Amino acid sequence: MLKFPIYLDNSATTPMDPRVLDAMVPYYLDHFGNAASRNHPFGWEAEDAVDKAREQIAKLINCTEKEIIFTSGATEGDNLAIKGIYDMYARKGNHIITVTTEHKAVLDTCKHLEKLGAQITYLGVDSEGNIDLNELENAITDKTILVAIMYANNEVGTIHPIKKIAEITHKKGALLFTDATQAAGKISIDVERDGIDLMAFTAHKMYGPKGVGALYVRRKNPRVKVTAQMDGGGHERGMRSGTLNVPGIVGFGKACEIAMNEMDADAERLSKLRDKLDTALLSLEESYLNGNKNSRLPQLTNISFKYVEGEGLMMAFNQNIAVSSGSACTSASLEPSYVLKALGLGDDLAHSSLRFSLGRFSTEEQVDYTIEQVTKAVHKLREMSPLWEMFKEGIDLSTIEWAAH
Amino acid sequence: MRVYLDNAATTALDPKVIDAMLPYLHNHFGNPSSIHSYGRETRAAIEKARKQIAGLFHVSPGEIFFTSGGTEANNMALQCSVRDLGVTHIITSQIEHHAVTHTVEALKKENKIKLTYVKLEADGSVDYNDLEELLKASSEKTLVSLMHANNEIGVLLDIDKVSELCETYDACFHCDTVQTIAHYNLDLQKTKIHFISCAAHKFHGPKGVGFIYVNADALIKPLIYGGAQERNMRAGTENLYGIIGLAKALEIAYKELEETKQYISSLRAHLKKRLNEEIPGIIFNSPDNGLYTVLNVNFPASEKNELLLFNLDIAGIAASGGSACSSGSNIGSHVIAHFNREEDSAAVRFSFSKFNTKEEIDFVVDKMKEMMLVTVQ
């Protein structure tokens, strides 16, 4: 039996894996010590738990425990990395390179730094969301301190060639920061293989709890330093003060351990389901895939249904299926997705897109139901649409001059 | 027997708090920014929590912003008022929490502010005359940052007085209330404070969540950028269960405030009385009328003092030499240093919660007597 509503918005947040919650509960109730309390076992238990989690997290991305700085989430991690590098490497330069399709946590931080005197280059993307590596290489100057490019895009799932980006970045003497919020725990990330210098990620996108994340900061080849953005007790080797969220960190560690063991199998299963969804929905007339079909996250698809308004489409089935028309962080706004617009979509197509993101607890039955409901809704909405009617009559809509009203 | 008397460092979660959190840890997991039903139900829960919290302090829900804890709240108040309100002079004390001292020191180092330390009385309380003189003499936009209760010794600030002084001399007032929220009523309609800070884990709520109250007159911009959460004031997916737990812990605390206060005060008085009567040479670093959850005790000089906390631990008693946030360091407490106690004497902070019992207190005193006897021999 299907249980409603069906949740297909795992890129916004994931339900917690019950194994994660089981690991956390003892740290809420029994082992509640402050991990910074150094002279009694309540503190030691908490610290041991944090150390273990640090190991589990480090293992997932192939770094050492000392390279993990706990944060309240990826947004804080993005802020700490970018501002922290800007402050620390001010003597070297003030130029940062990023991409127009980054998450707001990166873009807004860069805009803030721009006001303080930073020079920011925003690279554009092609119709699939890919950057041009030559353009990146040409943009790097001797003043460039940081290249900030996400591992995989949150709206369309396009995976950037991080290893190649790292090579170019390092060749020119800059550091590479990647926001891996959507990729960590979903696809293999290896900071050594990929050449990443800093990386932000968060627990609640990988079946862990909300309110906890981490920033990876490389300690060797080269040793990278960030200026703390929150001062205080000097926790996290001075880079991030504040009492550690011990149960959250324990949950994050467990989520990483599970991901380490199950990510490949999850990805294989979910990409098959996703492909089934894709095949069915893209067989509808005038529906288009957004993103890079050959290099994208396995559990996500973003499709535009031309002549259908995305919000209206969602309304048609949102009692039963939870999806999103873009990023949750901007979904309250009525503006079309800036990511889709950066891919070159017009307002009409950008407004008619839906993001389906599957997760560990998604089933084939749910996908079948979704195909059925979305197909039905698209047909129904198009039947009511004068634009669709005109399109079917062969009128080229782009030639029409609309009367102002 | 394990006795936890380090409640100023962190507290055990109240089982009623986790009961309130569990539905959100299990089923209601939506991202509060999502517009589908999963998101709407968690958004509603967060806004309900905000409203409830605002009511407790007689402020508008629009003035409460959830953060990752007290450190973030303090950093936000200080860094953003310098950046956005034109504050160029900060008056603070030398016994603030590190989240304040290190932040203002960093601001000073960046040449963004002039930093002045107010004089303290012998017991660690603020010299209000000196504060007034400093405010009177200050010709720049000034912010006063003083904690409501000191986390190590529990000395309390007269917030009404400081608030009045700040009003008179047109200064901003930031009060680090991390140790007093949930332990005292705070009516921000009556007492004008521009910023207060809160960490849920200090009153049987979860770690990793807190809030900052920002008076509507203080138009600051965010410390953390990148999303429209908290009405554009604090980006990042909300710590949903943390916020639910924070609100629940506050609700319980304020419902039971008077009886809890009486109960904990009686435990503190009992410990104080017995220590005073039964262990010679003791001095209290906490004033009588200080924060009722903290009793800081100075033990006379002895070569065994180095092992005092260690021996307490062996006896199953968790207390602290000072703040947990600096308890790993050997440089000693910057707060206790204020007292100029005899060299080799030792300060121990006992901090209480509603979960402590009189039996535990008696156990502690008995054990300490044994330790002291060993010391004397």
Side-chain angles (χ1 to χ4, degrees):
Chain A
M1 268 300 283
L2 279 172
K3 262 175 69 185
F4 294 111
I6 292 166
Y7 189 72
L8 290 184
D9 198 12
N10 288 279
S11 294
T13 190
T14 49
M16 198 134 56
D17 191 303
R19 292 169 288 182
V20 170
L21 184 53
D22 285 348
M24 289 166 70
V25 168
Y27 291 89
Y28 277 127
L29 293 175
D30 304 323
H31 314 298
F32 59 82
N34 186 324
S37 291
R38 291 281 161 79
N39 50 42
H40 54 67
F42 291 89
W44 303 333
E45 287 162 6
E47 198 189 11
D48 286 349
V50 169
D51 286 347
K52 186 184 167 202
R54 225 184 273 280
E55 257 171 55
Q56 290 167 318
I57 296 162
K59 216 168 158 190
L60 179 69
I61 62 167
N62 189 28
C63 71
T64 66
E65 296 94 59
K66 284 186 177 168
E67 294 174 311
I68 296 290
I69 310 293
F70 287 114
T71 65
S72 63
T75 294
E76 189 190 332
D78 289 340
N79 273 259
L80 175 55
I82 298 170
K83 293 178 193 165
I85 290 292
Y86 181 72
D87 291 344
M88 183 62 75
Y89 294 82
R91 243 178 266 166
K92 190 198 168 213
N94 67 341
H95 182 222
I96 295 172
I97 298 172
T98 187
V99 180
T100 51
T101 51
E102 290 294 303
H103 189 272
K104 283 282 180 201
V106 168
L107 293 177
D108 287 358
T109 304
C110 287
K111 276 182 201 134
H112 165 72
L113 291 181
E114 238 171 344
K115 283 184 207 151
L116 300 180
Q119 198 200 335
I120 314 280
T121 300
Y122 300 93
L123 299 175
V125 294
D126 67 13
S127 62
E128 295 182 334
N130 309 304
I131 62 161
D132 178 340
L133 294 176
N134 288 324
E135 198 186 328
L136 167 68
E137 183 156 5
N138 294 333
I140 303 178
T141 71
D142 56 352
K143 292 276 175 227
T144 307
I145 48 176
L146 187 69
V147 171
I149 297 181
M150 67 207 317
Y151 210 103
N153 183 269
N154 53 316
E155 293 198 30
V156 295
T158 299
I159 298 171
H160 289 298
I162 289 296
K163 188 170 185 240
K164 281 185 198 150
I165 291 171
E167 281 163 13
I168 294 167
T169 304
H170 293 151
K171 194 169 71 184
K172 298 270 207 128
L175 296 171
L176 175 67
F177 163 66
T178 188
D179 172 351
T181 304
Q182 295 290 342
K186 311 281 174 56
I187 56 176
S188 152
I189 296 179
D190 179 327
V191 294
E192 289 305 324
R193 176 198 69 199
D194 298 337
I196 297 164
D197 298 310
L198 302 111
M199 180 173 99
F201 51 120
T202 189
H204 80 99
K205 308 274 192 194
M206 47 189 281
Y207 317 99
K210 295 176 179 63
V212 61
L215 179 68
Y216 156 76
V217 182
R218 177 175 285 278
R219 273 169 69 90
K220 247 193 205 161
N221 311 315
R223 185 184 178 92
V224 178
K225 279 183 165 177
V226 294
T227 303
Q229 299 298 308
M230 274 161 44
D231 294 309
H235 308 77
E236 299 299 276
R237 293 189 317 290
M239 284 193 253
R240 201 285 191 178
S241 291
T243 298
L244 290 174
N245 176 357
V246 178
I249 288 168
V250 167
F252 191 12
K254 186 71 188 176
C256 285
E257 185 191 271
I258 297 171
M260 182 89 191
N261 296 329
E262 301 180 6
M263 154 171 94
D264 292 346
D266 276 348
E268 200 188 325
R269 186 180 73 89
L270 293 176
S271 66
K272 276 187 193 141
L273 288 182
R274 190 270 316 269
D275 290 346
K276 186 175 188 185
L277 188 66
D278 257 3
T279 308
L281 297 180
L282 290 171
S283 73
L284 295 171
E285 239 181 304
E286 293 294 312
S287 66
Y288 302 94
L289 178 74
N290 299 313
N292 183 339
K293 196 171 185 356
N294 302 314
S295 173
R296 65 176 163 155
L297 292 170
Q299 77 284 2
L300 181 153
T301 187
N302 188 312
I303 299 175
S304 287
F305 303 92
K306 206 172 179 184
Y307 310 112
V308 173
E309 217 265 312
E311 303 289 328
L313 188 54
M314 271 170 63
M315 297 266 274
F317 53 73
N318 72 358
Q319 291 296 322
N320 293 331
I321 307 168
V323 297
S324 150
S325 56
S327 152
C329 298
T330 47
S331 66
S333 95
L334 293 171
E335 293 287 303
S337 152
Y338 68 89
V339 172
L340 295 180
K341 294 199 78 172
L343 265 61
L345 273 69
D347 277 0
D348 54 343
L349 271 183
H351 262 307
S352 70
S353 72
L354 289 181
R355 177 183 70 180
F356 302 87
S357 45
L358 310 181
R360 188 176 286 156
F361 307 106
S362 302
T363 64
E364 182 154 20
E365 204 185 0
Q366 291 177 335
V367 169
D368 290 340
Y369 178 83
T370 302
I371 292 170
E372 186 192 309
Q373 291 296 308
V374 174
T375 305
K376 227 197 276 179
V378 169
H379 285 315
K380 194 174 154 205
L381 286 169
R382 282 177 174 171
E383 270 168 34
M384 301 189 302
S385 159
L387 294 178
W388 178 252
E389 200 176 316
M390 289 160 85
F391 164 73
K392 293 303 272 185
E393 283 166 5
I395 299 169
D396 182 355
L397 291 169
S398 64
T399 63
I400 293 182
E401 275 187 41
W402 303 98
H405 58 89
Chain B
M1 193 167 185
R2 279 224 305 186
V3 180
Y4 187 73
L5 286 178
D6 200 9
N7 289 283
T10 193
T11 54
L13 201 70
D14 189 319
K16 281 179 275 187
V17 171
I18 198 171
D19 284 347
M21 291 164 68
L22 277 172
Y24 296 91
L25 287 159
H26 279 298
N27 302 318
H28 307 299
F29 61 83
N31 185 323
S33 296
S34 293
I35 53 178
H36 46 63
S37 60
Y38 284 91
R40 290 196 310 270
E41 65 189 15
T42 54
R43 159 69 49 223
I46 285 178
E47 294 315 317
K48 190 180 154 207
R50 192 192 314 278
K51 209 172 149 192
Q52 204 183 328
I53 293 168
L56 293 171
F57 304 101
H58 306 279
V59 301
S60 143
E63 296 174 310
I64 300 288
F65 302 93
F66 294 113
T67 65
S68 64
T71 294
E72 184 186 330
N74 284 331
N75 270 265
M76 194 168 160
L78 296 165
Q79 293 190 41
C80 297
S81 50
V82 169
R83 191 190 60 198
D84 304 324
L85 304 180
V87 167
T88 52
H89 181 199
I90 291 181
I91 301 173
T92 185
S93 88
Q94 265 163 333
I95 59 170
E96 298 297 302
H97 187 273
H98 281 158
V100 169
T101 51
H102 288 169
T103 305
V104 295
E105 279 162 14
L107 288 166
K108 184 180 153 64
K109 214 172 135 194
E110 293 161 24
N111 287 320
K112 288 178 177 158
I113 56 155
K114 181 176 125 187
L115 185 59
T116 313
Y117 294 103
V118 68
K119 282 186 194 146
L120 298 175
E121 307 282 1
D123 67 353
S125 60
V126 165
D127 178 338
Y128 298 101
N129 291 327
D130 187 53
L131 179 60
E132 179 154 20
E133 290 307 314
L134 291 174
L135 281 166
K136 207 185 279 181
S138 181
S139 54
E140 308 169 68
K141 180 76 186 164
T142 303
L143 177 134
V144 173
S145 177
L146 291 169
M147 67 205 311
H148 191 188
N150 184 275
N151 56 313
E152 293 194 35
I153 55 176
V155 64
L156 283 166
L157 184 74
D158 185 340
I159 49 170
D160 290 313
K161 195 174 234 165
V162 175
S163 165
E164 272 170 38
L165 285 173
C166 287
E167 284 257 66
T168 308
Y169 296 100
D170 197 27
C172 287
F173 180 20
H174 163 240
C175 190
D176 173 356
T177 48
V178 166
Q179 291 293 342
T180 51
I181 279 188
H183 300 315
Y184 293 91
N185 281 308
L186 199 53
D187 182 344
L188 295 172
Q189 284 303 317
K190 281 194 194 138
T191 311
K192 180 161 178 179
I193 305 178
H194 292 83
F195 309 99
I196 69 167
S197 40
C198 166
H201 75 100
K202 304 286 190 190
F203 46 86
H204 310 293
K207 293 176 179 63
V209 66
F211 71 79
I212 180 171
Y213 156 80
V214 180
N215 183 285
D217 293 346
L219 295 172
I220 58 166
K221 293 195 191 82
L223 181 66
I224 293 174
Y225 288 89
Q229 292 90 354
E230 300 298 288
R231 299 178 312 291
N232 287 315
M233 190 63 119
R234 203 292 191 179
T237 299
E238 296 88 341
N239 180 350
L240 169 66
Y241 359 90
I243 291 169
I244 302 297
L246 163 61
K248 186 69 185 177
L250 276 177
E251 181 196 310
I252 296 169
Y254 280 104
K255 206 183 276 170
E256 300 170 350
L257 186 73
E258 281 313 314
E259 56 183 284
T260 308
K261 185 175 178 178
Q262 265 180 29
Y263 176 68
I264 295 175
S265 300
S266 74
L267 294 180
R268 181 181 186 265
H270 183 62
L271 177 62
K272 193 168 178 179
K273 183 164 177 281
R274 279 203 63 191
L275 285 176
N276 210 15
E277 287 170 357
E278 299 173 44
I279 300 181
I282 273 188
I283 307 172
F284 293 101
N285 292 325
S286 300
D288 267 344
N289 58 357
L291 177 65
Y292 59 87
T293 51
V294 167
L295 184 66
N296 195 305
V297 185
N298 213 70
F299 292 92
S302 152
E303 72 275 16
K304 294 283 172 66
N305 275 349
E306 230 173 279
L307 294 174
L308 190 56
L309 283 167
F310 177 74
N311 284 330
L312 278 169
D313 171 49
I314 298 290
I317 300 161
S320 153
S323 154
C325 298
S326 49
S327 67
S329 70
N330 295 320
I331 49 170
S333 156
H334 66 296
V335 179
I336 302 303
H338 169 73
F339 294 105
N340 282 320
R341 298 288 184 219
E342 192 185 356
E343 211 177 327
D344 294 333
S345 70
V348 177
R349 177 184 71 180
F350 298 99
S351 47
F352 315 90
S353 84
K354 62 180 179 182
F355 295 134
N356 290 121
T357 63
K358 192 163 174 247
E359 289 68 44
E360 289 178 341
I361 303 295
D362 285 328
F363 176 79
V364 170
V365 180
D366 294 344
K367 284 288 172 192
M368 294 217 73
K369 274 167 74 181
E370 283 172 30
M371 280 175 225
M372 291 299 144
L373 280 177
V374 173
T375 305
V376 170
Q377 282 162 1

